[in-house]
Amino acid sequence: QVHPVESGGGLVQAGGSLRLSCAASGLHFPVYNMGWFRQAPGKDREFVAAINWASTVTDYADSVKGRFTISKDNLKNTVYLQMNSLNTEDTATYYCAAAVGGRWGRRIADFDSWGQGTQVTVSS
């Protein structure tokens, strides 16, 4: 089975920025709603952001709204998550997911093709 692949994670100081990328040669992102989730140690995986297949609608968790931006580059078959003004609460493993089944929502079950995750650590 083909899955998305995340990259761009790393260690960053509080107040800094990172740009995560998500790509997969075997998935056609231009026809899928896409999302980003994150999971901190000891916590459940939570919704971060989503973008519809046409890049006309976006959705953000309250905790990241105004700081994070999700986007798609259909020519590169890549989804991005630009993260600005990072704080220690943003420390987590970030996962990219595709809604191959065509669902639109914030739940884990709305997405059915997942990457392995990329670690983001924000230091104070």
Side-chain angles (χ1 to χ4, degrees), residues 1-5 22-37 50-53 72 77 79 96-105 107-115:
Q1 184 178 4
V2 178
H3 298 281
V5 178
C22 171
S25 61
L27 292 173
H28 300 286
F29 290 169
V31 302
Y32 300 139
N33 301 326
M34 302 293 298
W36 286 95
F37 290 73
I51 187 168
N52 76 331
W53 68 272
K72 295 175 64 182
N77 200 36
V79 180
C96 176
V100 178
R103 293 182 175 87
W104 175 252
R107 300 177 300 171
I108 293 174
D110 293 323
F111 298 85
D112 37 32
S113 184
W114 293 80

Side-chain angles (χ1 to χ4, degrees), residues 21-116:
S21 298
C22 171
S25 61
L27 292 173
H28 300 286
F29 290 169
V31 302
Y32 300 139
N33 301 326
M34 302 293 298
W36 286 95
F37 290 73
R38 67 186 182 185
Q39 186 169 22
K43 295 186 177 181
D44 294 331
R45 192 169 300 186
E46 65 178 5
F47 171 80
V48 175
I51 187 168
N52 76 331
W53 68 272
S55 298
T56 54
V57 180
T58 57
D59 188 25
Y60 297 94
D62 290 342
S63 59
V64 306
K65 191 175 182 64
R67 299 188 298 121
F68 291 10
T69 302
I70 186 171
S71 62
K72 295 175 64 182
D73 186 335
N74 289 337
L75 293 179
K76 296 181 179 179
N77 200 36
T78 302
V79 180
Y80 302 98
L81 184 68
Q82 178 67 46
M83 306 185 296
N84 299 326
S85 301
L86 287 163
N87 57 65
T88 56
E89 295 181 350
D90 296 315
T91 295
T93 301
Y94 283 72
Y95 298 89
C96 176
V100 178
R103 293 182 175 87
W104 175 252
R106 293 180 164 193
R107 300 177 300 171
I108 293 174
D110 293 323
F111 298 85
D112 37 32
S113 184
W114 293 80
Q116 291 295 112

